[in-house]
Amino acid sequence: MLIEKVLHRDNLLEAHRRVVRNRGAPGVDGMTVDDLMPYCRQHWSSHREEILSGRYIPQPVRKVMIPKSGGGKRMLGIPTVLDRLIQQALAQVLTPIFDPTFSTESYGFRPRRSTHDAVLRARDHIAAGHRWVVDLDLEKFFDQVHHDILMARVARRIEDKRVLLLIRRYLQAGIMEGGVVSPRVKGTPQGGPLSPLLSNILLDELDKELERRGHRFVRYADDTNVYVRSRQAGERVLDSLERFLDRRLRLKVNRSKSAVARPWKRQFLGFSVTPNRQPRLKIAPQSVKRFKAKLRPIFRRARGDNLSVTVQRLNPKLRGWIYYYRLVAVKGTISELDAWIRRRLRVVLWRHWKTPRTRFKRLMSLGVNRSKAARASWGRAGPWGSAAGSAINFAVPNQRFRDLGLLSLHEKHLELAMSL
C-alpha cells in the first residue's frame, strides 16, 4: 500500500533531512527543526500507528502575513515541524506519480525545472511571433482552492484511502491566529511542503485545456501567460478561460490584475522583454523598485556603522539578486543600479561626517581643492544631492568601494554571462 511507502524509514529520513535543511519557523507548538529528531525518537511510533489507523489529526497551521511582490499581503500557513515532516514524506512519494503526467509548459515547484526555464520558454513563444500575452491572475488562488474538486483529481491516481484521508485532513487543518483556531473549508495555504504539489495537480487541468486548444503558454505555479498573435484573440482567450476556471475548478480570475497586452509592457517572474523581433530579456522595472526597497533598510542601519560593515551586509543580497537575473541581455539597468548603490553609500559617508566643518576637513584631506570643498560642505543640497556632487565623487571614487569589497553588479553579471 502507498501509505507504507510514505512511512518507510528511508523516505522519512530523507524527509527529515529536507525539513532540517529548509529550516523555517516553528508552528503553533513552538517546536524547532532541531527538536524534531529527539521528539520523533520518543513519539514517532505512536504517530505512525495513528496515521495507519486513520486517527492522526494534524495540528492547526500558524497564520503569518507576508508582503506580496506586487503590493498587499499574502497569507502563509506554517505547519508544525512534525506535520512538515509528514507532508514532505507524502510529497516525496506522490511527486513521482503525478509529475510525469504534468504539462511540459508547467515549471513551478517541479524537479529539474526553474524560473529561468519558464522565462526562456516565454521568450521563445514571443520570438515565434506570438507577440500578445494573456497575463492571467487568479484571485487569491491558494486561499480559494475547492477541497472536493482537488481531492477528486488526487483520487484519480491514488487509491489508498489512508493517503487520501491524510491529505484531506491537511487541507482541513485549522488556522491559528492570536491563540484562536479557525476551521478551514477551502484553500491550501502556502507554507507546507505538500501545497505546491497539490496546486500543480489542480492547475494541471488548466494546462491540459490550453494544450487541447493548441495555445502557446507558460505556467509557473499560479502565474499563467498565454501567448497569441492579436489583441482580439487574447480577449477571446481571457473570456473563455474565465468561464472554464469558474465552471470546472471554481476559481476566479482577477480582472483588475489580468490583462491582454504586449509582453514588453508586462512582467513575468521579475523579467520583461524588449519589443525586438528577436526579443531580449531585461529586468522588469517593478523588480528594480522592489530590490531598492529591500536595500534601503541596510542603508538606514548604516548611519551608525563602519562603511565596510555595510558593504558586508549588502554583498549577499547583491550576489543573490544578480545571480537570479544573470539571463538578462539588456545591461543598462544593472549599471544604473550599481551607480545608485554607490550614491547611497556616499550618502552614508556624508551623514557620518555630520557637520559642514567636518565635511570640509574630510574633503580637503581626500584631495578636493579648498573652494570646491567649501561649496560642497556649506551648500544647500541635502545628503542625496551632495552625494551626486563632483566633490565627494572625487574624494570617494568607485575604486574606494572596490577596495572595501563591494560587489559590482555589472562586473558580476558579465562573469555569470560568460559561464552560461
Side-chain angles (χ1 to χ4, degrees):
M1 296 294 284
L2 198 61
I3 194 67
E4 277 77 18
K5 290 184 179 180
V6 173
L7 300 177
H8 191 277
R9 183 174 184 274
D10 291 343
N11 188 54
L12 289 169
L13 287 174
E14 174 61 16
H16 177 268
R17 186 184 70 82
R18 294 191 184 187
V19 168
V20 171
R21 182 187 64 194
N22 293 336
R23 304 305 294 178
V28 297
D29 61 356
M31 188 190 300
T32 68
V33 293
D34 297 326
D35 300 327
L36 180 57
M37 183 59 79
Y39 176 86
C40 286
R41 288 194 182 106
Q42 186 172 357
H43 300 285
W44 176 249
S45 60
S46 61
H47 290 313
R48 187 178 190 277
E49 288 304 315
E50 288 174 343
I51 293 170
L52 289 171
S53 64
R55 293 181 291 108
Y56 181 77
I57 306 296
Q59 293 193 63
V61 298
R62 182 167 63 88
K63 183 177 179 179
V64 176
M65 302 301 292
I66 61 169
K68 293 174 66 174
S69 59
K73 292 189 175 182
R74 172 185 287 116
M75 188 191 86
L76 289 186
I78 309 298
T80 64
V81 289
L82 175 63
D83 284 321
R84 293 212 291 272
L85 173 73
I86 300 169
Q87 285 193 38
Q88 181 63 45
L90 277 167
Q92 289 168 188
V93 170
L94 296 178
T95 295
I97 296 171
F98 285 97
D99 192 80
T101 69
F102 290 156
S103 168
T104 57
E105 304 299 326
S106 166
Y107 292 88
F109 311 123
R110 297 186 61 190
R112 297 174 296 280
R113 286 173 168 250
S114 69
T115 53
H116 287 172
D117 296 327
V119 167
L120 290 172
R121 184 60 170 159
R123 184 193 63 182
D124 291 344
H125 290 323
I126 301 164
H130 295 73
R131 294 167 66 81
W132 288 88
V133 62
V134 181
D135 188 349
L136 195 66
D137 185 276
L138 297 178
E139 187 171 315
K140 297 181 179 178
F141 168 70
F142 286 94
D143 299 336
Q144 299 299 325
V145 170
H146 193 285
H147 291 173
D148 289 342
I149 292 174
L150 171 57
M151 289 306 303
R153 278 135 188 87
V154 175
R156 291 173 183 173
R157 307 294 304 278
I158 303 300
E159 296 180 357
D160 191 326
K161 294 191 183 323
R162 289 173 295 181
V163 171
L164 295 175
L165 176 62
L166 190 57
I167 294 172
R168 184 176 279 276
R169 283 187 174 161
Y170 274 118
L171 289 173
Q172 294 175 338
I175 302 172
M176 179 175 285
E177 182 180 22
V180 178
V181 177
S182 303
R184 188 164 74 230
V185 295
K186 62 180 179 179
T188 171
Q190 293 169 275
L194 195 55
S195 291
L197 175 61
L198 295 179
S199 68
N200 274 334
I201 291 172
L202 184 65
L203 289 176
D204 186 59
E205 188 147 344
L206 170 62
D207 299 340
K208 294 298 192 290
E209 177 66 14
L210 290 168
E211 289 177 341
R212 187 186 68 78
R213 298 182 187 186
H215 288 309
R216 289 177 177 254
F217 71 98
V218 179
R219 183 175 66 79
Y220 191 95
D222 59 330
D223 290 335
T224 304
N225 278 7
V226 185
Y227 296 90
V228 295
R229 293 187 181 274
S230 69
R231 176 182 287 278
Q232 291 80 4
E235 296 290 355
R236 289 195 300 271
V237 168
L238 181 57
D239 289 340
S240 63
L241 289 180
E242 184 174 25
R243 292 191 297 271
F244 171 83
L245 288 163
D246 182 52
R247 184 177 68 253
R248 294 289 293 275
L249 301 180
R250 304 275 186 88
L251 297 173
K252 301 293 183 184
V253 171
N254 187 333
R255 277 285 187 164
S256 65
K257 294 184 178 180
S258 300
V260 177
R262 294 293 196 179
W264 45 91
K265 294 186 177 180
R266 305 292 291 181
Q267 70 93 21
F268 181 53
L269 302 176
F271 290 82
S272 190
V273 295
T274 64
N276 307 68
R277 281 294 163 189
Q278 291 299 316
R280 297 185 299 158
L281 293 175
K282 64 179 187 178
I283 303 169
Q286 304 97 307
S287 300
V288 176
K289 184 177 179 181
R290 288 195 296 269
F291 187 55
K292 286 181 176 180
K294 288 182 180 179
L295 296 184
R296 282 192 176 94
I298 296 177
F299 293 120
R300 284 195 293 270
R301 184 179 176 187
R303 296 176 186 179
D305 290 328
N306 185 284
L307 203 61
S308 62
V309 173
T310 302
V311 168
Q312 290 171 16
R313 291 194 185 111
L314 284 171
N315 278 343
K317 292 186 180 296
L318 300 180
R319 188 173 290 108
W321 191 82
I322 199 60
Y323 185 80
Y324 181 76
Y325 286 105
R326 66 188 183 275
L327 296 180
V328 300
V330 180
K331 304 176 180 66
T333 299
I334 295 172
S335 297
E336 290 170 6
L337 192 52
D338 262 338
W340 180 84
I341 291 166
R342 290 191 296 265
R343 187 173 175 181
R344 280 283 170 188
L345 289 172
R346 291 187 178 103
V347 168
V348 170
L349 272 178
W350 196 251
R351 285 184 166 135
H352 279 179
W353 296 342
K354 293 184 179 178
T355 67
R357 184 174 295 278
T358 302
R359 290 165 181 167
F360 176 73
K361 289 180 179 179
R362 291 282 189 169
L363 291 174
M364 288 280 289
S365 70
L366 292 168
V368 180
N369 69 58
R370 188 179 187 87
S371 62
K372 185 177 286 187
R375 285 196 302 272
S377 300
W378 278 278
R380 294 184 178 181
W384 182 246
S386 298
S390 59
I392 194 170
N393 276 267
F394 179 86
V396 189
N398 294 348
Q399 185 60 45
R400 168 79 180 277
F401 300 120
R402 292 192 188 96
D403 294 342
L404 288 171
L406 179 68
L407 185 142
S408 165
L409 294 174
H410 177 71
E411 292 173 5
K412 189 64 177 178
H413 178 259
L414 289 177
E415 176 190 325
L416 292 169
M418 292 289 290
S419 65
L420 291 176

